[in-house]
Amino acid sequence: MKRIITVLAVIATLGLTAWTLVNNKKEVEEKVYKPNPDQKVGVRTAVASLQNLSQETEFLGSFSPNREIEIRPQAGGQIVSLPIEEGQTVGAGRLIAKLDDEQLRYQIEGLMVTLEGYQNDLKRYEVLVKGDATPAINLERTELSIRSTQAQIKQLQKQLANTTVTTPFSGIVTDKMVEKGSVVSVGSPIAKITDISTLKLVVQVPEKAINQFRVGQSLPITTEVYPDARFVGRISMIAAQGDAAHNYPIEITVPNSGKNQLRAGMYGSIANTNKLKGQTLAVPRQAIVGSEKQPQVYVIEQGKAVLKPVSIGTTTNEYYEITKGLNAGDQVVTSGQINLQNGTPVTAQ
């Protein structure tokens, strides 16, 4: 009897719990907002139309010197002459520094005396060998000694030449790293020479615009420091590989002469106008939803917003070129897309 009562109690409890859950579910569903499928959403629209699009895009970069080098001696020693100052303009082959060469000259002088002795011995051995008065090996040894001494003299003369440090090209002394009397070692920097007779403007161009440029193309260049001056550069290099953001460096060579002389590190920009041939189908930029890889547009059809995939081409500040997915005259949504789903009834405001 007790078992029957227990079973009935359990059944009653389960039934009560189930009824409570069902009742709560109905109350929650009644509180949840359910949009009216017949209620129209107000949107703003525009008409896809044929237009002549053109776009002027500016790309900003900075000027770098045509050539720049740190002057490093190929010999070591004390600097006895340093006839340069920072900011000084120097020509190619100009003396930068002279190192102490006294010891090298003494060594060369000593070897010259030795060489003269070997040459005198050679003359004597040549006479003695002809009269069989001395073995021929003495003549051979003297000849070898002469060749060895001459090689040593050439080596010292090369070291002597290295004590004179000159500029490899014309430029401006932008850094002097030592003073007269300093002792330098082989390869230690003495000065920096910068050539700005020609500058290189390096700009980063995005992937979608890189095909608008070519090597050898002339471009107008503007600068902030000379806003009224116009410079002309020529594209000398277009990078074969872009960075992680799909930007490609373009190098533009710019002659730097005249009264408005540029300096390395200044900003410069190029403007490129991309004009489409004839008319092209376009919509306002606000009509595009999704991403650039998968662009979409809401098109008004029979009072409803229909989401359609499209293909885009050239862009300007105001319009996107539509290459696929729309027809001229289609009414597209430009504002209010956040409240739309595919098939939502709309009314144009």
Side-chain angles (χ1 to χ4, degrees):
M1 186 65 179
K2 291 182 179 180
R3 182 177 296 177
I4 294 174
I5 294 174
T6 302
V7 172
L8 292 175
V10 171
I11 293 174
T13 301
L14 292 175
L16 180 60
T17 302
W19 179 85
T20 302
L21 292 174
V22 171
N23 189 51
N24 290 341
K25 182 180 180 181
K26 291 180 179 179
E27 293 179 357
V28 170
E29 290 178 349
E30 291 176 355
K31 294 180 180 180
V32 173
Y33 170 76
K34 295 181 180 180
N36 184 356
D38 297 326
Q39 184 177 358
K40 294 184 177 182
V41 177
V43 295
R44 293 182 180 178
T45 62
V47 176
S49 60
L50 296 175
Q51 299 186 30
N52 289 318
L53 295 184
S54 65
Q55 176 188 20
E56 184 175 87
T57 307
E58 283 196 354
F59 301 102
L60 181 67
S62 60
F63 291 101
S64 60
N66 179 40
R67 294 179 292 182
E68 188 174 53
I69 188 173
E70 283 188 348
I71 306 296
R72 298 172 182 264
Q74 299 182 47
Q78 185 180 32
I79 297 177
V80 296
S81 177
L82 191 69
I84 58 169
E85 295 295 337
E86 288 188 11
Q88 179 181 352
T89 300
V90 293
R94 168 69 183 273
L95 178 66
I96 291 293
K98 184 70 176 76
L99 305 181
D100 182 14
D101 60 3
E102 189 174 10
Q103 188 66 30
L104 289 173
R105 293 184 182 276
Y106 289 155
Q107 293 179 33
I108 292 174
E109 184 177 352
L111 286 174
M112 293 295 292
V113 173
T114 301
L115 178 61
E116 184 179 355
Y118 285 142
Q119 289 173 338
N120 293 333
D121 290 343
L122 180 64
K123 293 178 182 178
R124 287 193 293 269
Y125 282 136
E126 287 176 343
V127 174
L128 293 174
V129 168
K130 288 180 180 179
D132 293 329
T134 186
I137 190 172
N138 290 332
L139 179 62
E140 295 176 0
R141 288 176 177 173
T142 303
E143 290 176 341
L144 292 175
S145 296
I146 290 175
R147 292 171 57 187
S148 175
T149 304
Q150 289 174 335
Q152 294 179 54
I153 291 174
K154 289 180 180 178
Q155 184 178 16
L156 289 174
Q157 288 175 337
K158 175 64 175 175
Q159 295 179 20
L160 181 64
N162 288 339
T163 61
T164 301
V165 184
T166 59
T167 56
F169 51 80
S170 301
I172 299 173
V173 180
T174 52
D175 195 2
K176 186 177 75 170
M177 305 165 186
V178 294
E179 296 293 339
K180 180 180 178 180
S182 302
V183 177
V184 297
S185 58
V186 177
S188 59
I190 291 179
K192 181 183 290 185
I193 305 297
T194 303
D195 176 16
I196 61 171
S197 59
T198 300
L199 292 173
K200 297 176 183 177
L201 177 64
V202 180
V203 298
Q204 301 290 332
V205 177
E207 178 182 0
K208 63 182 180 181
I210 193 64
N211 289 333
Q212 301 171 16
F213 300 92
R214 66 182 186 279
V215 174
Q217 178 181 354
S218 295
L219 293 172
I221 296 173
T222 58
T223 62
E224 294 181 355
V225 65
Y226 301 122
D228 297 328
R230 290 295 178 266
F231 302 88
V232 177
R234 187 178 298 274
I235 297 178
S236 55
M237 187 276 296
I238 298 177
Q241 183 175 359
D243 57 19
H246 297 273
N247 292 322
Y248 292 79
I250 289 182
E251 183 179 279
I252 304 158
T253 303
V254 185
N256 189 25
S257 59
K259 63 178 182 179
N260 296 325
Q261 193 172 52
L262 299 169
R263 298 179 182 274
M266 289 181 175
Y267 289 111
S269 61
I270 60 174
N272 186 65
T273 302
N274 178 34
K275 294 183 178 179
L276 302 177
K277 295 181 180 180
Q279 291 188 324
T280 183
L281 185 64
V283 297
R285 295 179 64 92
Q286 297 85 349
I288 301 297
V289 296
S291 63
E292 288 193 3
K293 292 185 177 181
Q294 294 180 332
Q296 296 173 307
V297 174
Y298 279 107
V299 181
I300 307 301
E301 293 183 354
Q302 299 179 357
K304 293 183 179 181
V306 179
L307 187 61
K308 292 186 175 183
V310 295
S311 298
I312 59 178
T314 300
T315 66
T316 68
N317 293 331
E318 298 180 357
Y319 292 94
Y320 270 111
E321 175 195 9
I322 303 299
T323 60
K324 184 179 179 182
L326 291 180
N327 297 314
D330 286 345
Q331 190 177 15
V332 298
V333 178
T334 59
S335 178
Q337 295 99 321
I338 193 173
N339 299 317
L340 300 181
Q341 294 181 351
N342 191 22
T344 301
V346 295
T347 178
Q349 296 179 349

